[in-house]
Amino acid sequence: MNNPKYKIQKTELLSDNWYILNRVTVDYQKKDNSWDTQVREVYDRGNGAAILLYNKSKGTVILTRQFRLPSYLNGNKSGLLIEVCAGLLDEDNPEACIIRETEEETGYRLHSVKKVFEAYMSPGAVTEILYYFVGEYDSSMKVSSGGGLEHEHEEIEVIEIPFVQAYVMIESGEIKDAKTIMLLQYAKIHNLV
């Protein structure tokens, strides 16, 4: 973070109630070499990982459905979102994180996953990088019913549906989660299912 075109002048903690919200004052050098100052709020919730579980022979994918308060507050009447399995790294490397989250949320124990890309999800306000994975599953990998962890207040429904149906749900608006759309599109482009 030592780019001479950007100088952090001040970082003020606004909240550390759940994650970290700072107000950051930064001077930055513009193309004409003049300097400008911006003040922005930056939310740091850590980095995360997401995975699309797919079964090529059955033509299915595993998705989850859970309540997401921010979506409810912004027009999602049920508050429920259909998503790929995902979670915060919590000091793990991305691969270890997504293997752990897959078992907690879906009940499938994976031994290997494939990282396909990484992306900033909301770079205008959030620091998070999300690491995207795909992983093939079959019924022999099912070790529990999944559903998430009670102490994390998770109540996750596990959904196994045909890939074709999941892909149509993007256009119908039934799937509105960006990470899920991106991984379903990756699967379509690369003929995973």
Side-chain angles (χ1 to χ4, degrees):
M1 268 191 15
N2 288 330
N3 187 327
K5 293 183 177 228
Y6 309 102
K7 297 176 183 172
I8 304 297
Q9 296 301 329
K10 182 170 35 171
T11 300
E12 303 166 83
L13 180 65
L14 300 178
S15 174
D16 66 353
N17 184 41
W18 190 252
Y19 299 110
I20 304 296
L21 178 63
N22 286 312
R23 181 182 358 226
V24 179
T25 304
V26 59
D27 293 338
Y28 70 96
Q29 191 173 25
K30 299 187 323 184
K31 289 179 183 177
D32 68 2
N33 289 324
S34 66
W35 286 85
D36 200 2
T37 300
Q38 288 185 356
V39 179
R40 297 287 183 263
E41 290 183 3
V42 178
Y43 193 57
D44 184 351
R45 53 180 245 117
N47 295 326
I51 189 167
L52 178 65
L53 300 175
Y54 68 96
N55 183 306
K56 193 166 189 72
S57 63
K58 287 173 55 177
T60 55
V61 293
I62 298 288
L63 300 174
T64 65
R65 181 181 296 138
Q66 62 183 306
F67 177 72
R68 295 299 199 182
L69 176 61
S71 80
Y72 177 74
L73 295 174
N74 196 19
N76 178 2
K77 290 180 182 173
S78 73
L80 298 173
L81 279 184
I82 297 173
E83 306 175 46
V84 292
C85 172
L88 293 177
L89 299 188
D90 295 332
E91 307 298 320
D92 274 341
N93 68 58
E95 185 174 314
C97 166
I98 205 57
I99 288 172
R100 179 191 76 239
E101 287 291 334
T102 298
E103 187 169 336
E104 289 173 7
E105 290 188 8
T106 71
Y108 285 89
R109 182 173 293 153
L110 301 179
H111 300 290
S112 65
V113 295
K114 177 184 175 187
K115 181 182 167 200
V116 292
F117 57 90
E118 58 189 67
Y120 291 99
M121 291 304 294
S122 190
V126 181
T127 60
E128 179 185 35
I129 293 175
L130 199 59
Y131 299 90
Y132 291 82
F133 293 87
V134 293
E136 200 160 1
Y137 76 93
D138 63 47
S139 60
S140 72
M141 298 172 172
K142 187 79 168 165
V143 296
S144 75
S145 60
L149 299 177
E150 192 171 315
H151 75 271
E152 291 183 5
H153 306 282
E154 293 178 320
E155 187 176 7
I156 299 169
E157 178 186 355
V158 181
I159 306 165
E160 182 177 33
I161 61 174
F163 172 76
V164 172
Q165 179 184 348
Y167 201 76
V168 168
M169 292 168 75
I170 297 170
E171 187 173 346
S172 71
E174 294 169 85
I175 293 180
K176 291 185 177 184
D177 174 66
K179 64 187 175 298
T180 304
I181 293 168
M182 292 165 74
L183 280 170
L184 288 170
Q185 289 177 337
Y186 176 89
K188 178 84 168 174
I189 291 166
H190 295 276
N191 297 310
L192 290 186
V193 188

